[in-house]
Amino acid sequence: MQDSKMIMSEELEQMRLQYEALKEDIEKQKIINAEVMESIFRKNVRVLDSDRKLGVTVGIAAIPFVFAVCLLQGLDMWVAYALSAVFLVQIVWYIILYRRLGSAVTGQGDILDTALRLREFRKGYVLMNTVLWALVLGVFVVMGIEIYNAWSTPLKGLAAVGILCMMAIAGICAEVLYGRRVLKACDGIIRRLEDSPRG
């Protein structure tokens, strides 16, 4: 009887030790998971911050570049004005979009408000890129007609329009890939916020 009590007591002690070890492992895993999530959160915030800076910088740099190309190539100045207007819209839209987002991604604000702001930012970002590319493609279509008519032979005109089309396709592909990265960063931050404990 005494032996069975001792065996039972030893088994209980062993179970208690296993439970403590398991509990410690779980706590360590929670800490590791929290650190990984925090690292992903910071990485996604950096993507948004880089996009803000890049969007405004590219818009500002593109305006004198467009004018210089038009002057050097002898293109009609309406092309420079039209494309510059598109880039001005981009700059203003970027500034407004990121200003509305504000410090939401610092993790200091209310979780629900921050997630809502990020969802609104995401919709605005998609709308902005759609509108900007519709404007750019509109300018490119008119430019294509002008470029085609400017060449002495139809074959040279078609070649020039083909180059313009390839530039447009390359630009759209680059924007889609980069835009997906920004949207993925938004989704990552939103998921991180939704998984955070409330309170």
Side-chain angles (χ1 to χ4, degrees):
M1 187 75 174
Q2 190 69 25
D3 287 346
S4 95
K5 281 185 181 178
M6 275 184 68
I7 290 169
M8 200 168 171
S9 176
E10 284 173 10
E11 285 177 356
L12 285 171
E13 181 62 21
Q14 191 176 3
M15 284 173 65
R16 190 187 66 77
L17 290 171
Q18 286 173 347
Y19 171 76
E20 290 296 326
L22 182 63
K23 189 176 167 188
E24 193 176 319
D25 285 346
I26 289 170
E27 289 303 319
K28 281 180 188 171
Q29 192 61 45
K30 280 183 186 173
I31 291 166
I32 290 165
N33 288 344
E35 287 172 358
V36 168
M37 290 300 288
E38 195 60 35
S39 168
I40 292 167
F41 180 81
R42 281 194 304 271
K43 182 181 171 190
N44 288 333
V45 169
R46 279 195 301 270
V47 168
L48 293 184
D49 192 47
S50 297
D51 177 65
R52 177 183 57 83
K53 291 173 184 169
L54 188 67
V56 173
T57 304
V58 166
I60 291 169
I63 293 171
F65 176 76
V66 165
F67 275 95
V69 168
C70 287
L71 288 170
L72 291 171
Q73 296 298 317
L75 296 174
D76 285 339
M77 289 312 288
W78 72 263
V79 173
Y81 295 129
L83 286 173
S84 295
V86 171
F87 287 119
L88 277 173
V89 169
Q90 174 188 329
I91 293 164
V92 171
W93 208 330
Y94 257 86
I95 290 168
I96 291 169
L97 207 56
Y98 277 97
R99 183 139 312 156
R100 280 187 184 167
L101 185 60
S103 60
V105 292
T106 59
Q108 303 299 316
D110 174 71
I111 290 171
L112 293 175
D113 179 57
T114 302
L116 183 65
R117 279 198 203 185
L118 273 162
R119 283 195 180 93
E120 287 172 2
F121 169 85
R122 193 184 191 289
K123 285 178 192 168
Y125 190 87
V126 171
L127 178 64
M128 176 184 70
N129 282 299
T130 305
V131 169
L132 288 176
W133 273 105
L135 291 172
V136 168
L137 288 175
V139 172
F140 272 30
V141 167
V142 177
M143 275 176 64
I145 295 166
E146 291 285 326
I147 289 169
Y148 178 78
N149 292 331
W151 289 92
S152 55
T153 63
L155 192 61
K156 286 182 179 177
L158 280 174
V161 171
I163 291 168
L164 184 68
C165 288
M166 285 193 297
M167 287 169 54
I169 290 166
I172 289 170
C173 289
E175 180 57 41
V176 166
L177 290 172
Y178 187 78
R180 283 179 64 185
R181 184 173 173 241
V182 172
L183 297 178
K184 190 177 171 185
C186 284
D187 293 340
I189 295 169
I190 290 167
R191 272 195 308 273
R192 169 72 171 86
L193 292 168
E194 287 174 344
D195 291 343
S196 294
R198 304 280 195 267

